[in-house]
Amino acid sequence: DANVYRPAPSAISLSAGTYNNYALIDGANVFIGGAGAKILTGIIADAGREVTITCAQGTLQLTHDSGSSVNNRFLLPGLENIILQQRDSVTLSYQFNGWYVKNNYVRSNQVNPVTDLGTISTSQEDDWDIGEGIYFTVEPTSLISPAPDLDVTGIDGVAGRTVTIINESSSRDISFKHQDSSSLAANRFTLPGGSDFTLSADHNSATFYKPNDTIGWVLISNT
């Protein structure tokens, strides 16, 4: 029967934002549309189900092991989030205690690409709009001599997002400021010990996660 072996795709539209414990419609193939960056942290558990999800518009991020109830989460390869660009797909299978990737049809150059923010000559960034993505390189610089380091008081982003900042400068540090009022409360950093965090020069990196808009960004790892 054609309806069994080649089921017609189902389609939904989501607004930009984060969706926890999402009740995905029935179907073996689901197209998810809607402009902007959409984030799924989990789909309500459905033992034995396999579903291919295709991003029909904007971007769609599947977040690894966070945000949703434990049994509804995505347990993703390499413990890393997956970002689907337009027309990218991923096939998920529900096994035991979560959703696992069976096949990944993300284009190889679209899998968590690194975004180069270039050089920044300002000494402070408030509500920093870094755009979509996960990994970002930036080089603090200035025409001032000696050049100031870069202070970041907040990053503009949605709850459930993870970002990694890589300092490409050979001599300038980046200081992430704890609960600095120069940025909106939802975009600020809540840092260990209530102290500012300094990301040293020469390709060091820091990864931040935004659990909700009350806490803002928290530091989860640094190298």
Side-chain angles (χ1 to χ4, degrees), residues 5 14 56 63 79 104 108 126 132 148 155 197:
Y5 294 103
L14 300 178
T63 301
L79 313 182
N104 189 353
S108 60
D126 305 322
E132 297 178 359
I155 295 175
F197 168 75

Side-chain angles (χ1 to χ4, degrees), residues 54-109:
T54 300
C55 179
Q57 186 183 11
T59 62
L60 176 66
Q61 175 177 305
L62 304 185
T63 301
H64 171 73
D65 200 21
S66 68
S68 288
S69 301
V70 172
N71 289 334
N72 297 337
R73 296 179 183 178
F74 304 111
L75 304 175
L76 302 175
L79 313 182
E80 294 187 348
N81 302 337
I82 291 176
I83 294 181
L84 304 181
Q85 307 287 335
Q86 189 172 0
R87 298 186 181 87
D88 289 342
S89 299
V90 62
T91 299
L92 302 171
S93 175
Y94 192 89
Q95 303 292 334
F96 305 111
N97 61 343
W99 295 94
Y100 290 80
V101 172
K102 185 174 182 181
N103 292 299
N104 189 353
Y105 303 106
V106 178
R107 290 159 286 177
S108 60
N109 65 343

Side-chain angles (χ1 to χ4, degrees), residues 12 20 47 57 73-74 91 119 126 157 177 205 209 212 217:
I12 56 176
N20 302 318
Q57 186 183 11
R73 296 179 183 178
F74 304 111
T91 299
T119 58
D126 305 322
K177 316 302 286 186
S205 66
Y209 173 64
N212 54 57
W217 297 91

Side-chain angles (χ1 to χ4, degrees), residues 169-180:
S169 174
S170 60
S171 58
R172 305 301 172 196
D173 296 338
I174 302 175
S175 178
F176 296 91
K177 316 302 286 186
H178 173 76
Q179 287 295 315
D180 192 301

Side-chain angles (χ1 to χ4, degrees), residues 61-62 64 77-83 85 108-118 128 130-138 155 161-168 199 203-208 217 220-221 223:
Q61 175 177 305
L62 304 185
H64 171 73
L79 313 182
E80 294 187 348
N81 302 337
I82 291 176
I83 294 181
Q85 307 287 335
S108 60
N109 65 343
Q110 295 285 348
V111 179
N112 297 340
V114 176
T115 301
D116 183 5
L117 296 173
W128 197 13
I130 58 178
E132 297 178 359
I134 296 177
Y135 300 104
F136 300 86
T137 58
V138 61
I155 295 175
R161 185 179 182 185
T162 300
V163 298
T164 296
I165 307 295
I166 304 166
N167 187 353
E168 291 284 281
L199 179 60
H203 300 90
N204 286 301
S205 66
T207 300
F208 299 93
W217 297 91
I220 58 176
S221 68
T223 60

Side-chain angles (χ1 to χ4, degrees), residues 113-159:
V114 176
T115 301
D116 183 5
L117 296 173
T119 58
I120 293 185
S121 58
T122 58
S123 60
Q124 182 167 307
E125 288 287 341
D126 305 322
D127 299 310
W128 197 13
D129 184 5
I130 58 178
E132 297 178 359
I134 296 177
Y135 300 104
F136 300 86
T137 58
V138 61
E139 183 177 357
T141 186
S142 177
L143 298 177
I144 303 172
S145 182
D149 295 336
L150 173 63
D151 291 340
V152 179
T153 66
I155 295 175
D156 185 21
V158 297

Side-chain angles (χ1 to χ4, degrees), residues 37-67:
K38 301 167 287 294
I39 298 174
L40 285 179
T41 68
I43 296 171
I44 292 178
D46 194 352
R49 181 181 182 183
E50 290 188 358
V51 58
T52 297
I53 294 175
T54 300
C55 179
Q57 186 183 11
T59 62
L60 176 66
Q61 175 177 305
L62 304 185
T63 301
H64 171 73
D65 200 21
S66 68

